[in-house]
Amino acid sequence: MQTKVMIALLLAIILALIARPAEAAPPLVYCVTKRIERVPGCYDALRLAADRDYRWLSVDCCRAVYATLPATCFLKVFRDLILPISVFRDICTNTVPATAQSPSF
């Protein structure tokens, strides 16, 4: 009798885990790009930086990237390319050293 109860309980737990609905992924939070758009050519420089062309990134552009909130938002670079703002912050830190030393905004 005790074995049957244990098996039934174990079976109920397994079925509950299997029948559990899938958790939805959190929605993407897009970045507010007002600060980036205020710096001439910054948005285009970020698009090029997404393709590993860092020549056009400026200190002002990187400061605008650091000022973009929230820190976990996503920046729509192209129609089919959406990247976290943290990617661009890392790029700015590694390619524009003045930004990493003095991120005043």
Side-chain angles (χ1 to χ4, degrees):
M1 180 71 175
Q2 190 176 11
T3 308
K4 290 182 182 179
V5 172
M6 292 290 280
I7 291 173
L9 183 61
L10 185 62
L11 185 62
I13 291 173
I14 291 172
L15 287 175
L17 289 173
I18 292 173
R20 191 172 118 193
E23 296 177 10
L28 293 179
V29 176
Y30 291 103
C31 299
V32 178
T33 59
K34 287 181 184 179
R35 292 184 188 242
I36 293 172
E37 291 170 357
R38 287 183 194 157
V39 179
C42 183
Y43 209 83
D44 292 327
L46 293 175
R47 285 185 176 135
L48 291 170
D51 286 333
R52 296 190 177 138
D53 182 3
Y54 312 122
R55 294 177 292 169
W56 304 108
L57 281 177
S58 66
V59 173
D60 291 335
C61 182
C62 285
R63 286 185 181 155
V65 168
Y66 278 105
T68 300
L69 296 174
T72 57
C73 66
F74 288 81
L75 184 65
K76 190 171 189 175
V77 183
F78 297 107
R79 279 188 199 166
D80 56 344
L81 182 62
I82 302 169
L83 296 171
I85 196 69
S86 60
V87 168
F88 297 103
R89 289 180 178 187
D90 291 341
I91 289 170
C92 283
T93 300
N94 294 326
T95 60
V96 183
T99 310
Q101 294 170 358
S102 60
S104 60
F105 28 89

